């Protein structure tokens, strides 16, 4: 039996060659890794609630919990109503190399590795195809043309529907697009992470490549829920993130307080304002929300009902000007892996 979503989430095209997806996607990483303990039952319930509301894009990575996240999504889709399962689209990142202890040791973009990663993801997801497939970070030892060419062969074989990229700069974006059609670029974009606006976003638009924006709430920092005295659990990435440290945290939460004043004047939450701002930057941008609980999901979906007019956008910009964030978005060692920052 086919079901219709209870709420109608608007859709956006993922670039000129990609699929049409819900205007908000669900980033599932935090259900398995990097943000401390999570509740499996609540995670699956959150995915079900997202699908029921009309969210179609589920974003994951084969290295999130070393396969745990893909298996979680498989269970959620398998136990969802048939209609919701059929509408769901999977966006998968690959390439990160892990240790048993959970460390990261680099990235592998060799064509043989690309096809190996895909074979394992298809098995874990319990599907015969991946809708959008992308390397998480460019392998510095393998030309991006070879990595993209391997994904293109997977597309030709029917195992992948569309090619994506992640955290690449404008020049790499051009090189990749010369090999095969690129549906979207997944990259961090938020009120306090606006580096893509100078070169990367204009290049993507010139090439007809959509943007799936992650970190729209900067890992909870600008959600309105993060407090100065919050203690982070073991394994929480934010414990090493420069923006969550010492004076950086204080200055960044001062920005949130200013944003809260704008949000309260409009009768919405801080998180909804931050998400609505990203939505307002263009129909070619699809924010990914990292909700791990149904209440946070419901709040995020409420951003779709928030309209920011010119005066609202000016007030948001005044509260959180471009470049106002304190601290880099990743620790120095991880920043080195970002082609988008070079």
């Amino acid at each position: 039996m086919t079901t219709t979503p209870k709420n109608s989430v608007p859709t956006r095209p993922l670039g000129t060659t990609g699929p049409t997806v819900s205007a908000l996607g669900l980033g599932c990483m935090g259900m398995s890794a990097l943000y401390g303990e999570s509740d499996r039952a609540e995670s699956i319930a959150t995915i079900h609630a997202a699908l029921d509301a009309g969210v179609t894009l589920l974003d994951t990575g084969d290295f999130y919990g070393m396969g745990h996240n893909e298996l979680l999504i498989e269970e959620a889709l398998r136990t969802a109503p048939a209609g919701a399962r059929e509408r769901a689209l999977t966006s998968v990142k690959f390439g990160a190399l892990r240790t048993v202890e959970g460390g990261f040791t680099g990235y592998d973009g060799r064509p043989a590795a690309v096809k190996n990663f895909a074979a394992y993801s298809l098995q874990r997801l319990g599907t015969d195809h991946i809708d959008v497939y992308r390397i998480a970070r460019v392998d510095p030892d393998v030309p991006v043309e070879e990595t993209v060419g391997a994904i293109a062969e997977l597309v030709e074989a029917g195992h992948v529907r569309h090619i994506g990229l992640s955290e690449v700069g404008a020049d790499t974006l051009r090189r990749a697009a010369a090999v095969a059609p690129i549906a979207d670029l997944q990259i961090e974009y938020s009120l306090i992470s606006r580096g893509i606006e100078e070169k990367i976003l204009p290049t993507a638009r010139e090439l007809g490549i959509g943007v799936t924006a992650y970190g729209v709430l900067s890992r909870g920092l600008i959600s309105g829920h993060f407090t100065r005295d919050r203690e982070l659990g073991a394994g929480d990435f934010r414990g090493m993130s420069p923006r969550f440290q010492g004076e950086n945290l204080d200055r960044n939460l001062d920005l949130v307080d200013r944003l809260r004043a704008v949000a309260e004047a409009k009768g919405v939450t801080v998180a909804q304002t931050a998400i609505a701002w990203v939505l307002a930057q263009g129909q070619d941008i699809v924010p990914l929300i990292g909700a791990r609980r149904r209440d946070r999901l419901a709040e995020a979906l409420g951003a779709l009902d928030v309209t920011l007019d010119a005066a609202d956008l000016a007030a948001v910009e005044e509260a959180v000007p471009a470049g106002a964030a304190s601290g880099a978005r990743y620790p120095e060692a991880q920043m080195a892996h970002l082609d988008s920052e070079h």
Side-chain angles (χ1 to χ4, degrees):
M1 179 173 124
T2 299
T3 58
T4 302
K6 289 180 181 176
N7 301 303
S8 180
V9 173
T11 60
R12 294 184 168 187
L14 211 54
T16 56
T17 64
T20 296
V21 301
S22 51
L24 287 179
L26 182 63
C28 300
M29 179 186 75
M31 298 175 179
S32 298
L34 299 178
Y35 290 103
E37 293 296 320
S38 61
D39 183 298
R40 186 180 187 87
E42 180 62 23
S43 294
I44 291 174
T46 301
I47 294 173
H48 285 169
L51 295 171
D52 194 39
V55 172
T56 61
L57 184 63
L58 302 179
D59 183 78
T60 185
D62 64 9
F63 50 93
Y64 293 166
M66 283 74 89
H68 179 279
N69 204 236
E70 290 179 319
L71 292 169
L72 184 77
I73 289 172
E74 186 278 331
E75 181 178 347
L77 291 176
R78 176 167 42 82
T79 55
R85 185 166 60 250
E86 291 161 7
R87 288 187 297 269
L89 302 173
T90 53
S91 168
V92 179
K93 290 177 290 298
F94 68 88
L97 303 176
R98 307 293 303 271
T99 66
V100 173
E101 294 75 23
F104 287 85
T105 59
Y107 296 89
D108 193 344
R110 295 171 301 146
V114 172
K115 295 174 182 179
N116 177 78
F117 288 130
Y120 280 76
S121 285
L122 289 168
Q123 178 69 25
R124 284 188 291 259
L125 288 166
T127 183
D128 63 358
H129 73 274
I130 295 166
D131 292 287
V132 188
Y133 201 47
R134 71 187 86 241
I135 191 166
R137 301 286 186 269
V138 174
D139 181 345
D141 298 322
V142 178
V144 71
E145 290 87 349
E146 293 184 17
T147 302
V148 169
I151 305 175
E153 291 178 6
L154 290 170
V155 172
E156 186 176 353
H159 304 310
V160 169
R161 295 280 170 82
H162 303 281
I163 305 170
L165 292 167
S166 177
E167 286 290 353
V168 303
D171 291 343
T172 303
L173 199 57
R174 290 187 187 281
R175 288 169 51 199
V179 175
I182 306 297
D184 74 313
L185 167 63
Q186 188 171 120
I187 197 162
E188 186 166 356
Y189 187 42
S190 73
L191 271 169
I192 63 170
S193 294
R194 297 177 60 175
I196 72 170
E197 293 177 344
E198 182 180 355
K199 293 182 180 179
I200 296 174
L201 184 55
T203 301
R205 287 176 165 160
E206 176 193 334
L207 298 171
I209 297 171
V211 169
T212 41
Y214 75 87
V216 293
L217 296 179
S218 198
R219 299 163 184 83
L221 181 58
I222 59 172
S223 67
H225 301 297
F226 202 92
T227 59
R228 286 173 169 79
D229 59 355
R230 179 170 174 177
E231 292 191 10
L232 299 171
D236 193 317
F237 160 82
R238 293 170 293 189
M240 299 180 295
S241 173
R243 289 184 175 173
F244 288 83
Q245 307 304 312
E247 292 183 0
N248 286 346
L249 177 62
D250 285 336
R251 287 195 289 266
N252 290 330
L253 290 180
D254 285 343
L255 295 175
V256 176
D257 289 338
R258 293 165 60 176
L259 184 61
R260 181 176 284 106
V262 177
E264 289 178 349
K266 197 164 175 64
V268 298
T269 70
V270 174
Q272 288 168 343
T273 305
I275 296 168
W277 181 87
V278 178
L279 283 164
Q281 302 312 303
Q283 288 290 316
D284 54 349
I285 299 174
V286 175
L288 298 173
I289 52 175
R292 298 192 291 172
R293 302 184 342 223
R294 283 167 286 180
D295 59 337
R296 293 286 193 255
L297 171 69
E299 180 185 17
L301 290 173
L304 294 166
D305 298 321
V306 178
T307 300
L308 299 178
D309 60 23
D312 295 326
L313 290 170
V316 170
E317 293 272 354
E318 183 177 357
V320 187
S326 295
R329 55 195 184 100
Y330 284 102
E332 186 176 351
Q334 293 183 40
M335 288 292 287
H337 288 294
L338 297 177
D339 181 78
S340 55
E341 294 286 341
H342 299 161

